[in-house]
Amino acid sequence: MPAQLVCFERNCRARFPIAEVIYNCPRCGGLLEVAPDPPNASPQDLKTLWRSRRAGNQPLDQSGVWRYREMIPFLENHDSVVTLREGNTPVLDAPRAAAYAGLDRLAFKHQGFNPTGSFKDNGMTCGASQAIRLGMKRVACVSTGNTSASMAAYASAGGLEPVIFIPHGNIAYGKLAQALEYGARTFQVKANFDQILALVRTLAERLGIYLLNSINPFRIEGQKTIMVELMDQRDWRPPDWIVLPGGNLGNISAFGKALREMRDFHLIPNLPRLAVIQAEGSAPFYELFHSRDRSALRPVERPETLATAIRIGDPVSWPKALHEVDCSAGTVEKVSEQEIADAKAVIGRCGIGCEPASAATLAGLRKLVAAGTVSRGADVVAVLTGNLLKDPDYIYRYHTGQLEAPGGVAIQSSFGNSPVVTENDPDRIAAMLEDY
Ligand code: F0G
């Protein structure tokens, strides 16, 4: 059977052709997903095939997304695929970060090693390929920065015209610079992320532009491969916990879907538990998860956090996210600006580094271990979603004691490392190094 789109709402489940340009269910307005489609090979044969592709020279096999194409079967052929050899991201042991969290061991899967420096590339290769398959010319997104950087790169690489919309004044410079350099028509709109999403939906419909926001089910398919690659790297042994930051909640939706499918296709024996970490000032999903009435998410009207990637008050994918956290017996935690900043510096001192939103994982883990939710001996993988160089301004301010949380509260530079300005004087420098 050819691949299909299916409505995520349990009491709708309407199905639609894969090549229809729709973003929500035309019947009930629910979120859409690509209907799961079990591969035509045994689990062992698939594992062997995927391993052998790692050594190949074909672009599709070199991609850490398309190598696992049996798990994302929405294209009849792969003529439209745009790949920058995304994925292939390492799993790095981080003993210092483990000690900081109170764990015996901790590994980071670092999505910042992607071509544009974030996990968005895993999804964007699929979104852009689907746009080309549909015959689209222009693609658009609203973004806190990483989606737009990634979309700009993949659209330009695939001969599409990228149009991006970002909140004015609230984007890390590294990300804006990428969008400009990759040639995206860029609008900095004087509104927040959630307001701009409504604007972009209107414009996409009016001008026939293909929307590549995270509700796009093809992007979710691509992000699934982060989990498939992780399990492959771990010889198909799921950890006890997987921890990730939550903003618009596309990534948790993708991770949960991937893990359930891998379990259903007998690639892994059981589901790991999923923990989503939000920033305190932008934590509507945390509130929903821990409230008694979980039928509707209450948006945060003025979301605030220096982790601008996750500064989102009305995450669109919350129904999927809630389902996935529940299915995995997982949890949701929130962390303060100070906790994010310190955790980020600790990840830096591991020689690994990441952008602020990614560091919410370590900060959240520390709280979950202290509360006894995650045990000291647990096998934990935290996903670092973006590269350290995305937001250098934040880093400089933290290390020089100039970082301020929203509202003007000073962040303590607990792990500060300020550069020393000095005369060209070997004696003085030697004396300073002796004291160090
Ligand atoms: N980490 C980083 C570095 C991100 O850029 C984002 C989202 C997230 C975490 C949260 O992921 O939205 O799937 O829950 N960035 C989006 C963007 C919103 O526009 O780049 P999510």
Side-chain angles (χ1 to χ4, degrees):
M1 194 174 54
Q4 288 187 312
L5 287 169
V6 59
C7 176
F8 181 76
E9 286 301 316
R10 297 290 126 184
N11 47 10
C12 177
R13 298 305 277 176
R15 287 185 171 243
F16 306 92
I18 203 82
E20 206 156 303
V21 183
I22 45 175
Y23 308 105
N24 285 93
C25 175
R27 289 213 198 135
C28 77
L31 297 166
L32 294 171
E33 64 180 9
V34 175
D37 190 6
N40 257 335
S42 74
Q44 194 47 55
D45 286 353
L46 282 172
K47 292 176 186 177
T48 309
L49 175 68
W50 292 336
R51 263 307 152 85
S52 73
R53 283 179 184 158
R54 263 203 220 175
N57 279 332
Q58 292 303 316
L60 280 187
D61 294 345
Q62 287 191 338
S63 160
V65 171
W66 297 102
R67 181 179 306 136
Y68 304 105
R69 48 196 176 271
E70 288 76 9
M71 291 295 292
I72 49 170
F74 63 91
L75 295 174
E76 283 94 56
N77 62 61
H78 294 92
D79 299 348
S80 65
V81 167
V82 192
T83 173
L84 295 168
R85 313 301 187 271
E86 51 290 319
N88 299 306
T89 61
V91 180
L92 306 167
D93 284 324
R96 274 195 184 189
Y100 181 75
L103 289 165
D104 294 339
R105 63 199 157 140
L106 173 63
F108 289 119
K109 173 130 179 92
H110 204 327
Q111 293 305 111
F113 281 62
N114 260 301
T116 79
S118 84
F119 73 96
K120 304 291 181 179
D121 293 343
N122 287 70
M124 207 50 80
T125 180
C126 290
S129 301
Q130 175 72 2
I132 294 170
R133 173 243 194 109
L134 294 171
M136 293 292 178
K137 298 282 175 277
R138 277 183 178 174
V139 289
C141 68
V142 52
S143 176
T144 56
N146 279 324
T147 297
S148 49
S150 183
M151 194 193 78
Y154 280 84
S156 290
L160 296 161
E161 238 181 85
V163 187
I164 69 176
F165 296 83
I166 48 184
H168 184 54
N170 276 304
I171 177 171
Y173 248 130
K175 303 175 188 181
L176 178 58
Q178 285 180 294
L180 301 178
E181 189 83 353
Y182 295 135
R185 190 95 171 86
T186 303
F187 294 91
Q188 289 188 276
V189 186
K190 292 174 184 159
N192 71 26
F193 180 92
D194 308 299
Q195 296 161 326
I196 304 172
L197 180 57
L199 168 81
V200 177
R201 279 182 185 241
T202 310
L203 285 170
E205 197 166 327
R206 191 183 296 176
L207 302 173
I209 304 176
Y210 190 58
L211 253 190
L212 278 176
N213 266 108
S214 69
I215 52 162
N216 182 299
F218 303 99
R219 281 190 45 208
I220 300 284
E221 287 301 291
Q223 284 171 216
K224 271 174 24 185
T225 62
I226 300 168
M227 288 296 104
V228 184
E229 185 178 74
L230 173 66
M231 294 303 149
D232 188 358
Q233 288 164 318
R234 292 177 50 96
D235 296 318
W236 308 97
R237 272 174 294 138
D240 298 317
W241 284 92
I242 292 173
V243 186
L244 72 161
N248 221 9
L249 305 176
N251 218 18
I252 174 67
S253 308
F255 286 12
K257 185 171 192 267
L259 293 163
R260 283 187 294 107
E261 289 179 0
M262 282 191 280
R263 182 201 53 193
D264 296 347
F265 303 162
H266 307 291
L267 289 159
I268 55 172
N270 61 283
L271 294 181
R273 301 174 76 179
L274 294 167
V276 177
I277 317 297
Q278 296 210 289
E280 262 176 18
S282 304
F285 186 54
Y286 170 88
E287 298 303 335
L288 174 79
F289 186 81
H290 294 285
S291 70
R292 242 183 243 155
D293 174 14
R294 296 156 110 218
S295 60
L297 175 134
R298 268 207 257 138
V300 172
E301 225 157 272
R302 279 193 203 80
E304 288 294 357
T305 171
L306 295 175
T308 50
I310 50 173
R311 191 167 182 260
I312 293 177
D314 193 5
V316 281
S317 294
W318 71 262
K320 286 185 179 179
L322 191 58
H323 178 71
E324 301 305 352
V325 177
D326 282 343
C327 276
S328 80
T331 193
V332 184
E333 185 53 275
K334 64 176 179 180
V335 288
S336 70
E337 296 297 307
Q338 184 70 51
E339 288 167 329
I340 293 175
D342 290 338
K344 183 172 138 50
V346 170
I347 296 169
R349 289 209 180 172
C350 295
I352 293 175
C354 64
E355 68 164 282
S358 311
T361 53
L362 181 60
L365 255 174
R366 192 167 194 242
K367 285 180 88 166
L368 291 171
V369 173
T373 312
V374 174
S375 61
R376 168 173 268 283
D379 180 0
V380 184
V381 177
V383 178
L384 300 180
T385 43
N387 191 287
L388 173 147
L389 289 172
K390 290 277 188 177
D391 197 351
D393 186 55
Y394 180 107
I395 299 174
Y396 185 77
R397 285 175 191 271
Y398 176 83
H399 286 291
T400 55
Q402 302 174 62
L403 194 62
E404 277 186 7
V409 184
I411 300 273
Q412 302 304 312
S413 303
S414 324
F415 300 90
N417 183 23
S418 195
V420 181
V421 179
T422 172
E423 301 302 325
N424 182 0
D425 178 343
D427 295 337
R428 279 190 62 187
I429 297 172
M432 282 190 277
L433 281 170
E434 269 157 24
D435 289 348
Y436 184 62

